[in-house]
């Protein structure tokens, strides 16, 4: 059991080709491990290696779908629970490109227990390519890997499937992930779910569906070895102490109390929330759907991911009204905003039900809420009629209409077939000047953070390598830091990225842990440089696909339509200031401001010469 | 997978340290009932005063779970594993890396969200020991599986164990169901050691959901399987159909 090499890695990828049924164990080169660490970084390197030419269709068998834990995964480091799903995005597209199927990288980061379990089973990642002839699922139990028939499960929603799958496996200790009807029907923003509510979104579920793959189940008994156990134990108790005592109590207390839902009230109060399809930054009725209401009306218990002290996940139940008896998490910041404030929904139980349905169907709630917000606005403005919408009354705040739309999108039925392609494609079909309020970057829908009054976040959305992403970092240092953290298997929320507000694990401590685990000397700078390397590799991938500076673009709304209410009333982005900020960003990154291409010297310096 | 042997590890002072009891003494005290508790625990009867005669039958030291606090993070598993599977490095013993598969406490998670850590209840009537088919040693009176007198933990003698799996079956039938045959050797594993009197899971739980307390046999959830616990909690927390 385990391996004899004290390196912190198994150095093995589980390589499954669903077309041929071939199951291989592929060695990972030591250089790739040192350069790209794991998780998002190592996934990007494999994506670059396996997709040797641009323009490959993201939903084709060639596109690899990767489940990537990091070197922290499987070790009892607080909040080292994340799995990054890396693939080529089915959501994004450039303005112009020689390749019709061009798209960006995609990575989505999911909490829970899957990443550690992949490492217990003896792998540093799972790479799935090809396409199964019929619906299938994969069962991994240490060395035993089986591709099984999933025909009986195809079409099942995720909540029911989660319960049935664990019975089928007959062992509660399996960790599973799966798609719902949305993924099966190739809704471009379908999710992969784990424990029915933890999700890898941003389109990775459509890629899984395109492979006829319903689920993956993993269970393992091993563990990678530690290079220096004494130093590791010392660093570990050091890191554990971050979450104890006075300052640690502040951090853990914040997350335990309300999870990300705490931000519902805060960001609305600050004018930073996506409201009414990003038209406003403050929701007048936020006090009907905020964390306080959720705690009173729904939340039952707090739950945590592997070895996490924060417990930001809440479980709850709808206790009255027509949706009574539904059991689900209830609003987080993203779900509560995108299905709440952004659609002007203030009926708390209706919001809970929408979130339950979104997860149950296996859909990215960020994108689904964004697309429905767009259609509500288009209907209000008369760009589409109720009959265009198959008779669904998509007016602001209408929960029943949202539930009908979710069902139609997941089945690609009628108007749902169009909406399932994302807001960019929907806006193209709706036509006129609707692109001004189709809120996406590169085809990926913006998340629940509004930007009229937040220029750094605007830069984050515009320059993120997977399309509009609120978590990619608001400046260069932050972007590099996030890319490095995403490569460890560690949760960003447990890091000190928000240290002016909350304490957390510092990059110095991360580097210490990484050194003790791998035996390779990392200091803070080397760790951050790895993040920079990952970010630049992603950029090179996108450039190869034909993305240009014109794609680092933001919808007109943020420049043209100031907020009409709230503390940031009158706020909008200034086009000149934004352009200057972007110029400065490219220059400081040593990217050509015209083409956004990293300088060759920069690439060489980062060890990315192979991309030139 | 490594296997644990009932070796005594680094001795540390503990609230539980006291005069060791022989098995005979132990059993006789069980029979005496309430009196045994006083002898075992000194003066802490006030901790959980028994409401009636039944409750006073027998008091146990037990790692109790407050299910309203448990978040299912599995920190208990990793600290249990690290302590009970130490690694020798340059002659120095130190906690292992914490592989949860080697833990004696096992967190079971369910849908709807319920996390139920399962841990050896150290049952007074030891159904696992009773079914052990190995003849008792004429000197010690021990079968292959036996109760270790010091902390009342259950231990296995790998040299005498015949890997029949009866103990795990008995545990599943009559108690928590935590005992399991080792996948390779077939010998029982996951008997709680109480970590030499200082259970690591209790002190490391980030949510203070675990405690080593003295309880009475009618303690709610005592000796229930995680599935039964989950069923009951699920009903209590989420079932609003009634």
């Amino acid at each position: 059991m385990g391996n004899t090499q004290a390196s912190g890695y198994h150095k093995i990828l589980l390589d499954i080709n669903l077309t041929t049924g071939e199951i291989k164990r592929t060695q990972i080169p030591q250089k790739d491990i040192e350069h790209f660490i794991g998780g998002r970084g190592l996934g990007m390197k494999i994506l670059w290696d396996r997709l040797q030419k641009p323009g490959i269709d993201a939903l084709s068998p060639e596109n690899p779908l990767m489940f990537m834990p990091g070197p922290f995964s499987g070790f009892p480091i607080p909040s080292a629970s994340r799995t990054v799903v890396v693939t080529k995005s089915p959501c994004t597209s450039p303005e112009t490109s020689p390749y019709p199927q061009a798209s960006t990288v995609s990575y989505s980061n999911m909490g829970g227990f899957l990443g550690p379990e992949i490492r217990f089973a003896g792998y540093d990642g799972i790479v799935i390519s090809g396409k199964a002839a019929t619906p299938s699922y994969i069962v991994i139990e240490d060395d035993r890997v089986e591709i099984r028939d999933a025909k009986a499960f195809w079409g099942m929603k995720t909540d029911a499937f989660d319960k049935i799958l664990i019975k089928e496996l007959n062992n509660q200790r399996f960790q599973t992930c799966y798609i719902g009807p949305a993924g099966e029907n190739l809704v471009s923003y379908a999710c992969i779910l784990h424990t029915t509510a933890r999700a890898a979104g941003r389109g990775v579920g459509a890629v899984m569906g395109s492979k006829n793959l319903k689920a993956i189940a993993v269970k393992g008994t091993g563990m990678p070895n530690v290079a220096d156990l004494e130093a590791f134990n010392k660093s570990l108790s050091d890191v554990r102490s971050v979450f104890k005592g006075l300052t640690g109590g502040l951090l853990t207390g914040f997350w335990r109390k309300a999870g990300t839902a705490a931000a519902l009230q805060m960001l609305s109060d600050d004018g930073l929330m996506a409201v009414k399809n990003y038209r406003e930054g403050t929701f007048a009725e936020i006090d009907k759907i905020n964390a306080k209401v959720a705690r009173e009306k729904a939340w039952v218990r707090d739950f945590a991911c592997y070895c996490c002290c924060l417990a930001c996940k809440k479980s709850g139940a709808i206790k009255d009204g027509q949706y009574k008896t539904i059991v689900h998490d209830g609003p987080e910041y993203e779900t509560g905003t995108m299905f709440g404030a952004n659609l002007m929904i203030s009926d708390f139980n209706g919001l809970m039900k929408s979130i339950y349905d979104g997860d149950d169907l296996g859909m990215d709630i960020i994108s689904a809420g964004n697309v429905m917000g767009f259609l509500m606005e288009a209907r209000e403005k008369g760009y589409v009629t109720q009959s265009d919408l198959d008779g669904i009354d998509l007016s602001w705040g209408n929960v029943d209409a949202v539930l009908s739309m979710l069902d139609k999108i997941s089945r690609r039925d009628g108007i749902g077939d169009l909406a399932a392609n994302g807001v960019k494609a929907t806006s193209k079909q709706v036509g006129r000047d609707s692109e001004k309020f189709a809120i996406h970057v590169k085809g990926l829908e913006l998340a629940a953070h509004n930007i009229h009054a937040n220029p750094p976040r605007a830069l984050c959305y515009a320059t993120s390598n997977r399309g509009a992403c609120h978590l990619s970092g608001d400046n260069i240092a932050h972007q590099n830091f996030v890319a490095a953290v995403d490569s460890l298997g560690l949760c960003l929320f447990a890091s000190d990225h928000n240290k002016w507000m909350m304490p957390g694990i510092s990059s110095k401590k991360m580097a210490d842990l990484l050194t003790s685990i791998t035996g390779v000397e990392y200091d803070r700078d080397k760790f951050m440089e790895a993040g920079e390397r990952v970010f630049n590799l992603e950029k090179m991938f996108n450039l190869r696909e034909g993305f240009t500076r014109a794609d680092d673009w933001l919808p007109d709304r943020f420049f043209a339509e100031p907020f009409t209410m709230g503390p940031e009333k009158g706020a909008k982005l200034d086009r000149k200031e934004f352009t200057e900020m972007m110029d400065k960003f490219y220059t400081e990154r040593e990217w050509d401001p015209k083409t956004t291409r990293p300088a060759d010297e920069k690439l060489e310096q980062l060890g990315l010469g192979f991309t030139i | 997978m490594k296997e644990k042997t009932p070796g005594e590890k680094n001795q540390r002072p503990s609230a539980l340290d006291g005069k060791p009891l022989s098995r005979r003494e132990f059993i006789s005290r069980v029979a005496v009932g309430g009196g045994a508790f006083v002898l075992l625990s000194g003066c802490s009867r006030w901790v959980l005063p028994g409401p009636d005669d039944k409750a006073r039958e027998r008091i146990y030291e037990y790692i109790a779970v407050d299910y309203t606090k448990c978040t299912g993070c599995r920190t208990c598993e990793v600290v249990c594993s690290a302590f009970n599977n130490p690694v020798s490095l340059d002659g120095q013993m130190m906690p292992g890396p914490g592989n949860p598969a080697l833990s004696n406490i096992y967190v079971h998670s369910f849908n709807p969200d319920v996390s139920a850590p399962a841990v050896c209840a150290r049952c007074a009537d030891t159904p696992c020991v009773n079914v052990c088919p190995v003849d008792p040693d004429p000197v010690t009176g021990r079968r292959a599986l036996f109760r270790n007198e010091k902390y009342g933990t259950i231990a296995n003698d790998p040299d005498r164990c015949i890997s029949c799996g009866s103990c795990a079956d008995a545990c599943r039938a009559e108690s928590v169901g935590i005992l399991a045959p080792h996948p390779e050797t077939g010998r029982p594993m996951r008997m709680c050691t109480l970590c030499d009197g200082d259970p690591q899971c209790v002190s490391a739980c980030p949510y203070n959901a675990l405690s080593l307390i003295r309880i009475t046999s009618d303690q709610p959830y005592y000796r229930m399987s995680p599935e039964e616990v989950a069923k009951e909690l699920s009903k209590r927390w989420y079932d609003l159909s009634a």
Side-chain angles (χ1 to χ4, degrees), chain A residues 76 113 120 159 162-163 172-173 196 221 223 233 256 301-304 306-311 313 315 324 327, chain B residues 1 68 71-75 77-78 87 95 97 99-101 106-107 109-113 115 206-207 237-238 240:
Chain A
F113 304 87
F120 298 148
D159 190 16
D162 179 82
K163 291 174 183 152
Q172 203 69 37
R173 297 279 287 196
T196 73
T221 52
M223 214 173 148
N233 281 336
R256 282 182 204 178
R301 292 284 164 261
D302 308 335
F303 286 90
Y306 190 67
C307 291
C308 180
C309 307
L310 305 177
K313 181 183 188 292
S315 75
K324 186 173 161 177
V327 177
Chain B
M1 206 186 292
T68 67
T71 66
C73 74
R74 297 170 62 186
T75 301
E77 292 183 6
V78 298
V87 172
N99 180 350
Y106 246 45
V107 181
S109 294
F110 298 87
N111 173 8
D113 273 325
S115 287
Y207 302 95
W237 293 348
Y238 303 113
L240 302 148

Side-chain angles (χ1 to χ4, degrees), chain A residues 46 128 191 196 234 261 285 303 312 459 463 488 579:
Chain A
I46 299 165
I128 293 157
C191 281
T196 73
K234 196 172 159 291
E285 296 185 284
F303 286 90
C312 72
L459 179 126
T463 59
L488 290 173
T579 308

Side-chain angles (χ1 to χ4, degrees), chain A residues 124-324:
Chain A
D124 296 319
I126 302 173
V127 184
I128 293 157
S129 56
K131 177 183 179 175
T134 54
S136 303
Y137 71 109
I138 297 170
V139 181
I140 300 163
E141 207 175 345
D142 289 317
D143 292 343
R144 269 183 300 164
V145 182
E146 248 181 86
I147 303 169
R148 292 189 193 167
D149 181 12
K151 280 202 246 10
F153 306 130
W154 205 248
M156 286 190 78
K157 297 180 186 178
T158 61
D159 190 16
F161 179 63
D162 179 82
K163 291 174 183 152
I164 282 180
L165 180 60
I166 210 76
K167 272 205 191 110
E168 182 82 13
L169 296 164
N170 198 24
N171 189 326
Q172 203 69 37
R173 297 279 287 196
F174 269 102
Q175 299 299 338
T176 60
C177 68
Y178 35 78
I179 55 170
E184 297 171 11
N185 296 321
L186 310 182
V187 173
S188 72
Y189 41 88
C191 281
I192 298 171
L193 282 106
H194 165 56
T195 69
T196 73
R198 295 175 170 109
R202 322 291 12 204
V204 295
V207 177
M208 189 151 159
S210 76
K211 302 198 173 305
N212 257 336
L213 182 61
K214 179 72 178 175
I216 300 176
V218 192
K219 190 166 85 66
T221 52
M223 214 173 148
N225 284 350
V226 183
D228 183 347
L229 185 60
E230 193 173 9
F232 172 73
N233 281 336
K234 196 172 159 291
S235 287
L236 183 61
S237 64
D238 193 25
V239 165
R240 281 187 176 142
S241 69
V242 168
F243 301 95
K244 290 178 185 152
L246 193 65
T247 49
L250 202 72
L251 171 70
T252 52
F254 175 86
W255 289 110
R256 282 182 204 178
K257 188 164 169 239
T260 62
L264 286 166
Q265 187 70 50
M266 277 160 40
L267 295 199
S268 176
D269 287 350
D270 292 346
L272 296 171
M273 180 181 246
V275 182
K276 208 175 180 186
N277 195 30
Y278 301 82
R279 184 64 193 81
E280 302 293 344
T282 299
F283 186 38
E285 296 185 284
I286 193 68
D287 58 346
K288 292 183 181 164
I289 57 165
N290 64 14
K292 190 162 164 277
V293 176
R295 183 63 81 186
E296 277 166 17
K297 293 186 90 160
W299 288 342
V300 177
R301 292 284 164 261
D302 308 335
F303 286 90
C305 298
Y306 190 67
C307 291
C308 180
C309 307
L310 305 177
C312 72
K313 181 183 188 292
K314 311 296 159 199
S315 75
I318 304 178
K319 293 174 185 161
D320 49 40
Q322 60 175 316
Y323 307 121
K324 186 173 161 177

Side-chain angles (χ1 to χ4, degrees), chain B residues 19-58:
Chain B
K19 187 173 160 249
L21 300 175
S22 73
R23 183 164 178 272
R24 188 176 301 273
E25 280 175 311
F26 192 86
I27 290 168
S28 75
R29 282 170 191 184
V30 171
V32 170
F37 164 63
V38 178
L39 289 169
L40 268 167
S41 65
C43 58
S44 51
R45 184 168 174 182
W46 51 270
V47 172
L48 261 182
D52 52 31
D53 286 342
K54 186 170 174 280
R56 261 182 266 118
E57 277 170 15
R58 167 84 176 93

